[in-house]
Amino acid sequence: MHKETLIENIDKIHTTEMGVGRIQRNLGIDDEPVSYCISKLKKENSKVKKEGKNYYVEIDGCIITINSSSFTIITAHKI
């Protein structure tokens, strides 16, 4: 249910300028973080839950936090 909502609004998913560096640093990636996170979300085995105002996408040993009203990727962390 929550995953479908994110997929339906995939064109709205974005991050802030500060979020770019934070996500890259926390995940240890050089890739463009929005595209990276969207590709993780689209994976068949990704799990999405909603707690309060945020969605949490768990996949491949990391958790991606997305605001449910603005679809802003707030942060991402390795588990």
Side-chain angles (χ1 to χ4, degrees), residues 3 13 17 35 54 57-58 72:
K3 183 173 182 174
I13 295 176
E17 192 173 317
S35 300
N54 295 324
V57 180
E58 186 174 338
T72 304

Side-chain angles (χ1 to χ4, degrees), residues 6-25:
L6 286 175
I7 296 293
E8 288 169 6
N9 292 283
I10 210 147
D11 58 322
K12 296 178 184 175
I13 295 176
H14 65 284
T15 194
T16 62
E17 192 173 317
M18 287 180 57
V20 168
R22 180 172 50 246
I23 294 163
Q24 289 174 323
R25 184 177 59 252

Side-chain angles (χ1 to χ4, degrees), residues 5-66:
T5 301
L6 286 175
I7 296 293
E8 288 169 6
N9 292 283
I10 210 147
D11 58 322
K12 296 178 184 175
I13 295 176
H14 65 284
T15 194
T16 62
E17 192 173 317
M18 287 180 57
V20 168
R22 180 172 50 246
I23 294 163
Q24 289 174 323
R25 184 177 59 252
N26 290 349
L27 295 180
I29 61 170
D30 292 322
D31 302 0
E32 195 284 313
V34 174
S35 300
Y36 180 86
C37 291
I38 287 173
S39 71
K40 294 292 185 182
L41 167 66
K42 287 180 173 180
K43 284 190 166 186
E44 191 174 324
N45 61 334
S46 66
K47 296 178 182 157
V48 179
K49 66 180 177 179
K50 185 176 179 193
E51 289 183 14
K53 62 181 181 175
N54 295 324
Y55 291 112
Y56 297 90
V57 180
E58 186 174 338
I59 182 73
D60 296 340
C62 69
I63 297 179
I64 302 163
T65 306
I66 303 173

